[in-house]
Amino acid sequence: MPSREEIIINNFIKKIMKESRKCNHCALCYFPGTDNTFCFFGYNCLIHDFHFFKEDDE
């Protein structure tokens, strides 16, 4: 079971991914701009200044 701190951090990362322009236009982000926004690289991408960002051409 995740600790309280892990839950807070996960919720914060989800909020960033939901509201970030880069996340919402990234080919690696699933369900961008929704409450279900998800990315396998989300944490690492955010701590490395959007290192994994891939512009979505669609």
Side-chain angles (χ1 to χ4, degrees):
M1 177 170 214
S3 69
R4 182 174 182 269
E5 291 82 10
E6 289 172 322
I7 292 170
I8 291 169
I9 290 169
N10 285 337
N11 288 338
F12 182 66
I13 291 170
K14 285 181 183 180
K15 181 177 174 126
I16 290 171
M17 287 191 298
K18 178 182 176 185
E19 297 178 6
S20 167
R21 188 205 71 76
K22 283 194 174 183
C23 290
N24 283 293
H25 292 93
C26 183
L28 301 174
C29 186
Y30 297 92
F31 314 112
T34 70
D35 289 334
N36 296 322
T37 300
F38 179 79
C39 181
F40 289 107
F41 306 102
Y43 175 76
N44 284 324
C45 194
L46 291 171
I47 65 170
H48 295 291
D49 195 28
F50 296 98
H51 175 75
F52 296 102
F53 174 67
K54 303 279 187 228
E55 189 72 45
D56 186 5
D57 291 333
E58 296 180 300

